[in-house]
Amino acid sequence: MKKYIIHLLLISAGFVLAQEIENDSLLAYQNLEEVIVVSKARFKNEKQYKPLSSVDEYLENSGKVSMIKRGNYAWEASLNNMLSERLSITIDGMQIFGACTDKMDPITSYVDISNLDKITVSSGQHGTQNGATIGGAIDLKIQKNNFGSENLNIGIDTGYESNSSTKIASGELNYSNKKIVLNTDASYRKATNYYAGNNQEVLFSQYEKYNISSSLGFKTSNKSSITGSIIYDQANNVGYPALTMDVSLAKALISAVAYKIDSLSPTINTWETKAYYNTITHVMDDTKRPDVAIHMDMPGWSDTFGFYSKAQMQKNEHSLLFNLNGYYNKSLAEMTMYPNNQNENLMFMLTWPDVRTLYSGFYAEDYLKLKNNWSFLLNGRIGFQNATVADDLGLHSLQIFYPEMKKTTTRILSSLSSKISKKVNNTTFTVGLGYGERAPSVTEAYGFYLYNSFDNYDYVGNPNLKNEKSFESNLGIQYHTKHFTVNTEASYFYIKDYIIGRTNPDLTQMTINADGVRIYTGLNYATIFNTSLKASYKIVSRVLVSGLLSYGLGKDHQGNNLPLIKPFSYRFGLHYKKDFWDTEINLNGSDSQNNFSSYYGENKTGAYTIVNLSSSYRFHFNQTKLYVKAGLENIFDTYYTSYSDWNNIPRPGRNLFINASYIIN
Ligand SMILES: [Cu+2]
């Protein structure tokens, strides 16, 4: 509690500093949400540092999200220093769960930027619209045209990156009129191994991915429409240099049908109902690795059916949102070990014992605009979750550890949060409080001998875990004038029954050379503190400078560091724009990671600074536009690794990239 007060004092000091900055014009409305524009349509994404970069790079360049890297592909998002099990990550409001027991396939890896319009990032309990969460939510919004006057556009993109010989090609065709909208795209990416600074090759870092998607919508009446959409995504030959295995195949089929009514009544603005299905297949591969002690096959599958029905309403000063949703997920993963001695028997295990999760929940939100520039937001969710171990072999294996374990567990998950904002001249102050719960993930509750290469332990799930409970407070100040903006935020999470692995010395590991077995345990509590400061200043009309500072601190109930917490990091940019030219130089860096957790396999990563430079030009012809951007990343070819690099795999060294986008309207 004492620490909590100190944090609050620090934040208040920040407030005072920011208040001293002069005010002179109107302020944009404060929100703890961040929107990352992805859509290539009309070059909306040209502000992006690298327009044809992966979804992962878009997320990494946003202010709020960090990415945990196990290679050059399929990074795992971290928001408020919390990873996927504590986040709600959805595609257009749809639940989708990866099929890898080693987190090789976060769901952000199953889309391409060509599928997306934007990504919304909501912090903490403000992110419960689509599901229960502790750290917040990331929703990837699929690109859709609007019904309207006839419009056809064709886009072609190509990209190349020198460091890993990455080739990127994509094409899209979009058509819309008053009655029909059609969006289609296809993309392909292929990379060889990348090279860290000083020309050191990072073996097993290659990948290949293609993605096709289509959505078709019809007007069913003046005010209503029906839209079907499908995404097929497949990655092959993906290397994970930080892990002991690679992936031969990761594929997803994501499909949905939605029915939407606009202006249903004077109060109901929109009402949308969607049914969806997605299926994922994940196949790991160790056949290309030298010196494999014991060859393993580890495939995994995840299938999800779901729906939501969402209404947006306006009644006097109230903006209301309701979302009723539900899903049914089936997660299954297995492991077969092939001993080198052929006389020994194969060993077979269910690492995810065919877990069936049924969830249904209801979300409500009320945003209230009051007099004198006060506003108030209240949101909450209540959900019921049922998890069943459908496979008897899997159930019996877990019953060796938990003899009393039942086939089915039921949980109730609730959350409530509020935020109050007050605008004074150019400054908006926001204070929020929240409470939320989450159920343990499939791995945390039912995982069976999952090897973690970070701390070198085998992990066993624990079906008796209590729900994790988060008490959250957050503060924000935003100052905005024509030339100057500052946005500072801080959040503090007190998480009760915090789920993490703890060594059980009575158990013996299965993985050769592992250090032992850890069982998922609910710690008494853990705390996580995050803060950031973002500013930009237009020096003259053509020159903009911007900066971002961030810092995080995570401790368990005994004051030990939590793993994967972001140390002090910074980013500065200098941007020059003239006519159709745009040039940018930026500096990206981090202090050394002093608050590391050796218990969870971390060591102190050093401080680093890297410099990037890029420039773009936009050509206009009659019906067509061409946008070309080239840049040099890590100009000085610095060799470095950060807190977010699994097992300290080094980041890429110098890289030259060229992106070209061509649009015919
Ligand atoms: Cu995997």
Side-chain angles (χ1 to χ4, degrees), residues 99-105 240 243 245-247 249 282-285 298 300:
C100 177
T101 50
D102 293 347
K103 293 183 158 192
M104 286 163 151
D105 70 336
Y240 290 82
L243 305 178
M245 291 185 96
D246 302 311
V247 163
L249 171 72
H282 178 81
V283 182
M284 289 192 248
D285 177 22
M298 293 180 70

PDB file of all heavy atoms in Angstrom, residues 99-105 240 243 245-247 249 282-285 298 300, ligand 1:
ATOM      1  N   ALA A  99      -3.192 -22.248 -31.434  1.00  0.00           N
ATOM      2  CA  ALA A  99      -3.184 -23.699 -31.248  1.00  0.00           C
ATOM      3  C   ALA A  99      -1.828 -24.201 -30.792  1.00  0.00           C
ATOM      4  O   ALA A  99      -1.560 -25.389 -30.846  1.00  0.00           O
ATOM      5  CB  ALA A  99      -3.597 -24.380 -32.544  1.00  0.00           C
ATOM      6  N   CYS A 100      -0.959 -23.296 -30.348  1.00  0.00           N
ATOM      7  CA  CYS A 100       0.386 -23.704 -29.951  1.00  0.00           C
ATOM      8  C   CYS A 100       0.540 -23.628 -28.443  1.00  0.00           C
ATOM      9  O   CYS A 100       0.241 -22.605 -27.826  1.00  0.00           O
ATOM     10  CB  CYS A 100       1.437 -22.822 -30.612  1.00  0.00           C
ATOM     11  SG  CYS A 100       3.095 -23.260 -30.063  1.00  0.00           S
ATOM     12  N   THR A 101       1.065 -24.695 -27.859  1.00  0.00           N
ATOM     13  CA  THR A 101       1.297 -24.737 -26.421  1.00  0.00           C
ATOM     14  C   THR A 101       2.519 -23.895 -26.034  1.00  0.00           C
ATOM     15  O   THR A 101       2.731 -23.623 -24.864  1.00  0.00           O
ATOM     16  CB  THR A 101       1.534 -26.185 -25.972  1.00  0.00           C
ATOM     17  OG1 THR A 101       2.529 -26.753 -26.841  1.00  0.00           O
ATOM     18  CG2 THR A 101       0.271 -27.016 -26.085  1.00  0.00           C
ATOM     19  N   ASP A 102       3.322 -23.503 -27.014  1.00  0.00           N
ATOM     20  CA  ASP A 102       4.525 -22.705 -26.752  1.00  0.00           C
ATOM     21  C   ASP A 102       4.370 -21.252 -27.192  1.00  0.00           C
ATOM     22  O   ASP A 102       5.375 -20.561 -27.379  1.00  0.00           O
ATOM     23  CB  ASP A 102       5.735 -23.306 -27.492  1.00  0.00           C
ATOM     24  CG  ASP A 102       6.128 -24.653 -26.932  1.00  0.00           C
ATOM     25  OD1 ASP A 102       5.645 -25.004 -25.847  1.00  0.00           O
ATOM     26  OD2 ASP A 102       6.914 -25.358 -27.593  1.00  0.00           O
ATOM     27  N   LYS A 103       3.144 -20.816 -27.420  1.00  0.00           N
ATOM     28  CA  LYS A 103       2.863 -19.430 -27.822  1.00  0.00           C
ATOM     29  C   LYS A 103       3.579 -19.017 -29.101  1.00  0.00           C
ATOM     30  O   LYS A 103       4.025 -17.877 -29.231  1.00  0.00           O
ATOM     31  CB  LYS A 103       3.257 -18.473 -26.701  1.00  0.00           C
ATOM     32  CG  LYS A 103       2.399 -18.617 -25.475  1.00  0.00           C
ATOM     33  CD  LYS A 103       2.827 -17.579 -24.485  1.00  0.00           C
ATOM     34  CE  LYS A 103       1.762 -17.255 -23.487  1.00  0.00           C
ATOM     35  NZ  LYS A 103       2.095 -16.063 -22.727  1.00  0.00           N
ATOM     36  N   MET A 104       3.718 -19.958 -30.037  1.00  0.00           N
ATOM     37  CA  MET A 104       4.337 -19.604 -31.314  1.00  0.00           C
ATOM     38  C   MET A 104       3.347 -18.922 -32.243  1.00  0.00           C
ATOM     39  O   MET A 104       3.742 -18.397 -33.277  1.00  0.00           O
ATOM     40  CB  MET A 104       4.827 -20.866 -32.015  1.00  0.00           C
ATOM     41  CG  MET A 104       6.062 -21.471 -31.423  1.00  0.00           C
ATOM     42  SD  MET A 104       6.141 -23.145 -32.044  1.00  0.00           S
ATOM     43  CE  MET A 104       7.878 -23.444 -32.046  1.00  0.00           C
ATOM     44  N   ASP A 105       2.060 -19.005 -31.915  1.00  0.00           N
ATOM     45  CA  ASP A 105       1.068 -18.443 -32.845  1.00  0.00           C
ATOM     46  C   ASP A 105       0.039 -17.546 -32.164  1.00  0.00           C
ATOM     47  O   ASP A 105      -1.143 -17.847 -32.121  1.00  0.00           O
ATOM     48  CB  ASP A 105       0.372 -19.567 -33.620  1.00  0.00           C
ATOM     49  CG  ASP A 105      -0.547 -20.405 -32.743  1.00  0.00           C
ATOM     50  OD1 ASP A 105      -0.336 -20.449 -31.516  1.00  0.00           O
ATOM     51  OD2 ASP A 105      -1.508 -20.984 -33.290  1.00  0.00           O
ATOM     52  N   TYR A 240      12.056 -20.481 -35.321  1.00  0.00           N
ATOM     53  CA  TYR A 240      11.988 -19.794 -34.026  1.00  0.00           C
ATOM     54  C   TYR A 240      13.348 -19.933 -33.353  1.00  0.00           C
ATOM     55  O   TYR A 240      13.560 -20.863 -32.571  1.00  0.00           O
ATOM     56  CB  TYR A 240      10.881 -20.400 -33.158  1.00  0.00           C
ATOM     57  CG  TYR A 240       9.494 -20.077 -33.665  1.00  0.00           C
ATOM     58  CD1 TYR A 240       8.928 -20.829 -34.692  1.00  0.00           C
ATOM     59  CD2 TYR A 240       8.777 -19.014 -33.153  1.00  0.00           C
ATOM     60  CE1 TYR A 240       7.665 -20.530 -35.194  1.00  0.00           C
ATOM     61  CE2 TYR A 240       7.519 -18.703 -33.644  1.00  0.00           C
ATOM     62  CZ  TYR A 240       6.971 -19.460 -34.657  1.00  0.00           C
ATOM     63  OH  TYR A 240       5.730 -19.149 -35.152  1.00  0.00           O
ATOM     64  N   LEU A 243      13.641 -20.744 -29.673  1.00  0.00           N
ATOM     65  CA  LEU A 243      13.044 -21.970 -29.145  1.00  0.00           C
ATOM     66  C   LEU A 243      13.789 -23.179 -29.687  1.00  0.00           C
ATOM     67  O   LEU A 243      14.670 -23.053 -30.537  1.00  0.00           O
ATOM     68  CB  LEU A 243      11.565 -22.041 -29.545  1.00  0.00           C
ATOM     69  CG  LEU A 243      10.696 -20.839 -29.153  1.00  0.00           C
ATOM     70  CD1 LEU A 243       9.270 -21.024 -29.646  1.00  0.00           C
ATOM     71  CD2 LEU A 243      10.691 -20.650 -27.644  1.00  0.00           C
ATOM     72  N   MET A 245      12.282 -25.658 -31.238  1.00  0.00           N
ATOM     73  CA  MET A 245      11.561 -26.226 -32.374  1.00  0.00           C
ATOM     74  C   MET A 245      11.131 -25.128 -33.324  1.00  0.00           C
ATOM     75  O   MET A 245      11.036 -23.968 -32.960  1.00  0.00           O
ATOM     76  CB  MET A 245      10.299 -26.952 -31.883  1.00  0.00           C
ATOM     77  CG  MET A 245      10.596 -28.212 -31.102  1.00  0.00           C
ATOM     78  SD  MET A 245       9.071 -29.083 -30.689  1.00  0.00           S
ATOM     79  CE  MET A 245       8.959 -30.274 -32.013  1.00  0.00           C
ATOM     80  N   ASP A 246      10.825 -25.518 -34.546  1.00  0.00           N
ATOM     81  CA  ASP A 246      10.297 -24.601 -35.549  1.00  0.00           C
ATOM     82  C   ASP A 246       8.875 -25.013 -35.890  1.00  0.00           C
ATOM     83  O   ASP A 246       8.309 -25.904 -35.256  1.00  0.00           O
ATOM     84  CB  ASP A 246      11.191 -24.643 -36.791  1.00  0.00           C
ATOM     85  CG  ASP A 246      12.620 -24.270 -36.447  1.00  0.00           C
ATOM     86  OD1 ASP A 246      12.802 -23.243 -35.775  1.00  0.00           O
ATOM     87  OD2 ASP A 246      13.541 -25.025 -36.815  1.00  0.00           O
ATOM     88  N   VAL A 247       8.310 -24.364 -36.885  1.00  0.00           N
ATOM     89  CA  VAL A 247       6.939 -24.667 -37.284  1.00  0.00           C
ATOM     90  C   VAL A 247       6.923 -24.994 -38.766  1.00  0.00           C
ATOM     91  O   VAL A 247       7.438 -24.222 -39.580  1.00  0.00           O
ATOM     92  CB  VAL A 247       6.023 -23.466 -36.966  1.00  0.00           C
ATOM     93  CG1 VAL A 247       4.713 -23.543 -37.725  1.00  0.00           C
ATOM     94  CG2 VAL A 247       5.747 -23.410 -35.473  1.00  0.00           C
ATOM     95  N   LEU A 249       3.928 -25.826 -40.281  1.00  0.00           N
ATOM     96  CA  LEU A 249       2.649 -25.331 -40.793  1.00  0.00           C
ATOM     97  C   LEU A 249       1.869 -24.644 -39.680  1.00  0.00           C
ATOM     98  O   LEU A 249       1.723 -25.179 -38.588  1.00  0.00           O
ATOM     99  CB  LEU A 249       1.815 -26.513 -41.323  1.00  0.00           C
ATOM    100  CG  LEU A 249       0.366 -26.200 -41.698  1.00  0.00           C
ATOM    101  CD1 LEU A 249       0.287 -25.377 -42.970  1.00  0.00           C
ATOM    102  CD2 LEU A 249      -0.441 -27.482 -41.876  1.00  0.00           C
ATOM    103  N   HIS A 282      -1.740 -26.170 -36.130  1.00  0.00           N
ATOM    104  CA  HIS A 282      -0.371 -25.751 -35.846  1.00  0.00           C
ATOM    105  C   HIS A 282       0.508 -26.998 -35.747  1.00  0.00           C
ATOM    106  O   HIS A 282       0.214 -27.894 -34.958  1.00  0.00           O
ATOM    107  CB  HIS A 282      -0.371 -24.982 -34.520  1.00  0.00           C
ATOM    108  CG  HIS A 282       0.965 -24.525 -34.085  1.00  0.00           C
ATOM    109  ND1 HIS A 282       1.550 -23.393 -34.589  1.00  0.00           N
ATOM    110  CD2 HIS A 282       1.844 -25.047 -33.199  1.00  0.00           C
ATOM    111  CE1 HIS A 282       2.735 -23.235 -34.020  1.00  0.00           C
ATOM    112  NE2 HIS A 282       2.938 -24.221 -33.177  1.00  0.00           N
ATOM    113  N   VAL A 283       1.559 -27.063 -36.564  1.00  0.00           N
ATOM    114  CA  VAL A 283       2.418 -28.251 -36.557  1.00  0.00           C
ATOM    115  C   VAL A 283       3.860 -27.834 -36.314  1.00  0.00           C
ATOM    116  O   VAL A 283       4.436 -27.075 -37.093  1.00  0.00           O
ATOM    117  CB  VAL A 283       2.317 -29.017 -37.905  1.00  0.00           C
ATOM    118  CG1 VAL A 283       3.173 -30.277 -37.869  1.00  0.00           C
ATOM    119  CG2 VAL A 283       0.870 -29.365 -38.219  1.00  0.00           C
ATOM    120  N   MET A 284       4.423 -28.314 -35.217  1.00  0.00           N
ATOM    121  CA  MET A 284       5.813 -27.968 -34.912  1.00  0.00           C
ATOM    122  C   MET A 284       6.748 -28.985 -35.545  1.00  0.00           C
ATOM    123  O   MET A 284       6.343 -30.087 -35.903  1.00  0.00           O
ATOM    124  CB  MET A 284       6.011 -27.921 -33.400  1.00  0.00           C
ATOM    125  CG  MET A 284       5.318 -26.717 -32.796  1.00  0.00           C
ATOM    126  SD  MET A 284       5.813 -26.445 -31.114  1.00  0.00           S
ATOM    127  CE  MET A 284       4.310 -26.826 -30.274  1.00  0.00           C
ATOM    128  N   ASP A 285       8.002 -28.569 -35.667  1.00  0.00           N
ATOM    129  CA  ASP A 285       8.945 -29.359 -36.447  1.00  0.00           C
ATOM    130  C   ASP A 285      10.349 -29.187 -35.863  1.00  0.00           C
ATOM    131  O   ASP A 285      10.825 -28.060 -35.730  1.00  0.00           O
ATOM    132  CB  ASP A 285       8.888 -28.817 -37.892  1.00  0.00           C
ATOM    133  CG  ASP A 285       9.882 -29.503 -38.800  1.00  0.00           C
ATOM    134  OD1 ASP A 285      10.292 -30.627 -38.469  1.00  0.00           O
ATOM    135  OD2 ASP A 285      10.239 -28.900 -39.827  1.00  0.00           O
ATOM    136  N   MET A 298       4.674 -32.391 -32.323  1.00  0.00           N
ATOM    137  CA  MET A 298       3.787 -31.652 -31.416  1.00  0.00           C
ATOM    138  C   MET A 298       2.754 -30.835 -32.188  1.00  0.00           C
ATOM    139  O   MET A 298       2.891 -29.623 -32.288  1.00  0.00           O
ATOM    140  CB  MET A 298       4.609 -30.711 -30.526  1.00  0.00           C
ATOM    141  CG  MET A 298       5.516 -31.428 -29.550  1.00  0.00           C
ATOM    142  SD  MET A 298       6.450 -30.253 -28.533  1.00  0.00           S
ATOM    143  CE  MET A 298       5.180 -29.561 -27.506  1.00  0.00           C
ATOM    144  N   GLY A 300      -1.055 -29.118 -32.792  1.00  0.00           N
ATOM    145  CA  GLY A 300      -2.131 -28.565 -31.966  1.00  0.00           C
ATOM    146  C   GLY A 300      -3.259 -28.046 -32.840  1.00  0.00           C
ATOM    147  O   GLY A 300      -3.034 -27.664 -33.997  1.00  0.00           O
TER     148      GLY A 300
HETATM  149 CU    CU B   1       4.210 -24.274 -31.577  1.00  0.00          CU
END
